[in-house]
């Protein structure tokens, strides 16, 4: 049973903790900036509206008073606060009445200060004359004061509005705004931390898997990451990457094991014959010739085996660039080269759409292996070797097959001819390593296709592969 890797090392936790902290602090900072901006703008707008509203109300009261004293004759007694007078004193205002000499005849509550300008208005002949005072300190409060003359030297009326209570209201609003902003910032920080922890939870799993792979060098680690967002896509891509690396590692391990097994036989035979060289002077001439011939053949087979192993390993690489080529033209090139090497008749037939996105070097090697395999098993060469390239109706998928008139592949061997180092019983006496068709399979799989083999009607074999998958 595979043991699940531990989640994170100390440094891994520090890195993710830093990421979480950065995310939470950034979220809180952005929220704080927005909250402060909105709070300042909201408070400024509210304060401006309150002050303008208070000023408008006070100005309206003063203008009404000026209009009233200008329309009809009024005396200080008309504004008295004593019972029996019907003067309506506006709410949240203080009214104080001055005599002709500017003296206070009916004090306000609280009493308002009287300046020289106020006395001049009280003794003025024109009704509705006005003098205003801003930010007047009366006790612990601040007032706005407007003095309106009654005209004819009969006195004046002072109307005052408390300014400090409005400012107290605004200060209370400011304090509440600051408290609300602080609460929002703290809440945003906590929510940001929770959100960062929720988001980075899957990153913790990915980091754990990556560190486990680096620490144990085991690629078969499950990456249980879900979701359709970027983190989920990253997890699935990481899981696929580990799967491909594990498969590549397994292929390399199996290749090394198979190669080691196959190399032992020619090396053992070569070592035995080399040991006979020490007694070559004792051997008759016929035995000497046989020994040299055996050494030459074994060296050739060993060289061919090594070359095919190199080709097989290179065939698993995706470094060769993909090109769009016509496989019929590629088959014709392979056929021409094989004719010159073997002197055999090789015919190429093409039909349909035979152009595909492939790696030319790999495809050339695969088709050459098929032709060499056909020539080896059809040694008499009475009939030509045929290369058929056919493109079906679906573009991008091309079928390549090589037909011969040899003894054919036995039915039990049809499913194993593409295995590495596999050689049928009737082919073990022939030269070869059993890697040629294995290379064909690797090339086909690398191009999204598959190899195939079946017996040919009338005798012989049909062996080939497809490229492209859709």
């Amino acid at each position: 049973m595979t043991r699940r890797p531990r989640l994170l090392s100390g440094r891994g936790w520090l890195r993710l903790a830093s990421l979480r902290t950065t995310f939470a602090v950034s979220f809180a900072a952005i929220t704080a900036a927005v909250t402060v901006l909105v709070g300042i703008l909201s408070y400024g707008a509210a304060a401006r509206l309150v002050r303008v509203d208070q000023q408008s109300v006070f100005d309206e009261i003063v203008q009404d008073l000026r209009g009233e004293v200008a329309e009809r004759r009024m005396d200080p007694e008309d504004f008295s606060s004593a019972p029996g007078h019907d003067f309506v004193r506006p709410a949240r205002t203080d009214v104080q009445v001055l005599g002709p000499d500017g003296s206070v005849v009916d004090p306000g509550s609280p009493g308002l200060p009287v300046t020289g300008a106020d006395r001049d208005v009280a003794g003025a002949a024109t009704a509705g004359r006005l003098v205003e005072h801003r930010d007047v300190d009366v006790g612990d409060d601040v007032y706005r004061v407007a003095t309106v003359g009654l005209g004819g030297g009969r006195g004046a009326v002072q109307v005052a509005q408390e300014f400090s209570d409005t400012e107290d209201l605004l200060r209370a609003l400011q304090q509440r705004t600051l408290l609300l902003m602080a609460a929002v910032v703290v809440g945003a920080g906590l929510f940001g931390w929770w959100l960062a922890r929720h988001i980075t939870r899957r990153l913790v799993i990915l980091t754990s898997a990556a560190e486990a792979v680096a620490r144990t060098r085991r690629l078969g680690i499950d990456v249980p990451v879900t979701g359709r967002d970027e983190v989920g896509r990253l997890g699935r891509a990481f899981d696929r990457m580990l799967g491909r690396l594990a498969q590549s590692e397994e292929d390399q391990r199996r290749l090394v094991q198979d190669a080691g097994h196959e190399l032992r036989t020619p090396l053992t035979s070569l070592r035995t014959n080399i040991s006979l060289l020490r007694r070559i002077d004792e051997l008759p001439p016929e035995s000497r010739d046989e020994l040299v011939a055996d050494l030459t053949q074994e060296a050739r087979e060993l060289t061919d085996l090594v070359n095919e192993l190199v080709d097989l390993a290179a065939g698993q690489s995706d470094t060769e660039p993909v090109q769009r080529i016509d496989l019929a033209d590629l088959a014709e090139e392979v056929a021409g080269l094989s004719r010159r090497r073997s002197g055999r008749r090789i015919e190429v037939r093409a039909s349909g759409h035979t152009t595909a996105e492939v790696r030319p070097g790999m495809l050339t090697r695969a088709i050459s292996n098929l032709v060499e395999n056909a020539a080896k098993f059809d040694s008499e060469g009475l009939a030509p070797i045929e290369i058929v390239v056919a493109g079906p109706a679906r573009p991008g998928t091309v079928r390549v097959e090589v037909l011969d008139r040899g003894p054919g592949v036995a039915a039990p061997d049809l499913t194993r001819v593409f295995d590495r180092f596999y050689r049928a019983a009737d082919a073990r006496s022939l030269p070869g390593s059993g890697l040629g068709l294995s290379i064909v399979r690797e090339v086909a799989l690398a191009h999204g296709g598959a190899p195939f083999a079946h017996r040919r009607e009338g005798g012989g074999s049909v062996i080939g592969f497809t490229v492209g998958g859709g």
Side-chain angles (χ1 to χ4, degrees):
M1 180 177 179
T2 303
R3 183 179 178 184
R4 293 287 300 174
R6 61 188 178 90
L7 283 181
L8 283 175
S9 64
R11 286 186 298 178
W13 274 116
L14 288 177
R15 286 193 294 270
L16 284 187
S18 176
L19 178 61
R20 290 177 178 177
T21 302
T22 301
F23 188 90
V25 170
S26 300
F27 190 88
I30 294 174
T31 305
V34 174
T35 303
V36 169
L37 180 61
V38 172
I40 292 175
L41 294 177
S42 300
Y43 172 77
R48 185 165 54 255
L49 287 175
V50 170
R51 291 190 178 105
V52 170
D53 181 68
Q54 291 293 322
Q55 182 66 42
S56 299
V57 171
F58 183 70
D59 291 343
E60 185 177 353
I61 292 173
V62 173
Q63 292 303 321
D64 289 345
L65 179 58
R66 293 182 67 188
E68 188 174 1
V69 299
E71 290 177 0
R72 60 190 180 93
R73 176 188 174 92
M74 301 187 71
D75 296 319
E77 291 78 9
D78 295 329
F79 297 93
S80 175
S81 59
H85 294 79
D86 57 357
F87 175 71
V88 178
R89 295 172 179 260
R92 301 183 62 187
T93 59
D94 186 19
V95 178
Q96 180 171 276
V97 184
L98 303 181
D101 57 355
S103 60
V104 178
V105 297
D106 191 353
S109 179
L112 303 175
V114 180
T115 66
D118 297 327
R119 294 186 183 94
D120 293 340
V121 170
T126 304
R129 186 175 174 181
L130 173 67
V131 61
E132 288 187 275
H133 307 283
R134 293 181 179 274
D135 301 332
V136 178
D137 293 328
V138 180
D140 296 332
D141 299 320
V142 180
Y143 284 80
R144 293 188 186 94
V145 180
T147 303
V148 179
L150 299 179
R154 292 186 297 275
V157 177
Q158 287 184 304
V159 180
Q161 182 187 50
E162 186 178 354
F163 178 71
S164 57
D165 62 344
T166 301
E167 296 302 318
D168 291 341
L169 175 64
L170 293 177
R171 277 193 294 271
L173 176 62
Q174 185 182 49
Q175 292 175 355
R176 292 185 180 183
T177 302
L178 291 175
L179 290 175
L180 179 60
M181 288 191 299
V184 170
V185 171
V186 173
L190 295 176
F191 178 75
W193 178 263
W194 174 85
L195 186 61
R197 183 175 182 180
H198 178 74
I199 292 176
T200 57
R201 178 173 54 85
R202 291 177 294 167
L203 292 177
V204 171
I205 299 175
L206 288 178
T207 304
S208 170
E211 291 187 343
V213 170
R215 184 178 63 256
T216 64
R217 302 179 66 86
R218 291 187 294 108
L219 300 176
I221 294 178
D222 185 28
V223 183
V225 177
T226 58
R228 297 182 178 273
D229 57 3
E230 287 78 3
V231 178
R233 290 170 54 194
L234 175 63
R236 288 188 291 273
F238 186 69
D239 190 51
R240 289 193 297 269
M241 180 189 70
L242 288 180
R244 293 195 63 179
L245 289 175
Q247 182 62 44
S248 177
E249 185 181 52
E250 175 62 22
D251 291 342
Q252 291 179 2
R253 184 189 62 80
R254 187 158 53 90
L255 177 61
V256 171
Q257 289 179 347
D258 293 344
H261 174 74
E262 292 298 320
L263 286 170
R264 287 191 187 98
T265 300
L267 287 175
T268 300
S269 178
L270 189 63
R271 187 167 55 248
T272 301
N273 287 331
I274 290 175
S275 65
L276 292 176
L277 288 176
R278 298 180 179 180
R279 297 187 299 109
I280 192 170
D281 294 336
E282 303 174 8
L283 299 176
E286 297 81 3
S287 299
R288 293 179 186 179
D289 293 339
E290 291 179 1
L291 178 60
V292 173
D294 289 344
L295 286 172
T296 303
Q297 180 64 26
E298 289 163 358
R300 184 182 300 110
E301 291 182 359
L302 187 60
T303 300
D304 292 341
L305 177 59
V306 171
N307 289 336
E308 289 187 333
L309 286 173
V310 172
D311 289 338
L312 184 60
Q316 297 173 349
S317 173
D318 295 337
T319 56
E320 184 183 2
V322 175
Q323 300 179 32
R324 186 169 186 82
I325 64 172
D326 190 340
L327 268 65
D329 295 339
L330 190 65
E332 190 62 52
E333 293 178 6
V334 172
L337 181 61
S338 298
R339 293 188 195 104
R340 292 190 294 272
R341 287 180 176 176
S342 64
R344 295 289 301 271
R345 292 172 54 200
I346 301 176
E347 299 177 356
V348 178
R349 291 188 286 112
S351 62
H353 187 82
T354 58
T355 301
E357 299 281 345
V358 298
R359 294 180 172 87
M362 297 175 66
L363 264 295
T364 299
R365 180 59 174 166
I367 299 174
S368 297
N369 285 0
L370 291 177
V371 174
E372 291 174 4
N373 184 76
K376 178 174 64 176
F377 284 95
D378 186 10
S379 58
E380 295 182 2
L382 299 178
I385 297 173
E386 300 178 31
I387 305 177
V388 179
V389 183
R394 183 170 53 185
T397 303
V398 182
R399 180 184 179 94
V400 180
E401 58 186 23
V402 175
L403 300 79
D404 63 67
R405 285 300 182 183
V409 182
D413 296 327
L414 287 174
T415 59
R416 302 191 59 189
V417 292
F418 294 101
D419 292 345
R420 291 175 182 171
F421 303 106
Y422 178 77
R423 304 181 71 186
D426 56 355
R428 290 170 186 169
S429 60
L430 298 175
S433 62
L435 286 175
L437 294 184
S438 179
I439 294 175
V440 172
R441 182 189 63 182
E442 297 293 337
V443 172
L445 294 178
H447 287 80
F452 59 86
H454 57 84
R455 297 176 64 84
R456 184 181 182 185
E457 186 177 352
S461 302
V462 178
I463 303 179
F465 59 92
T466 60
V467 298

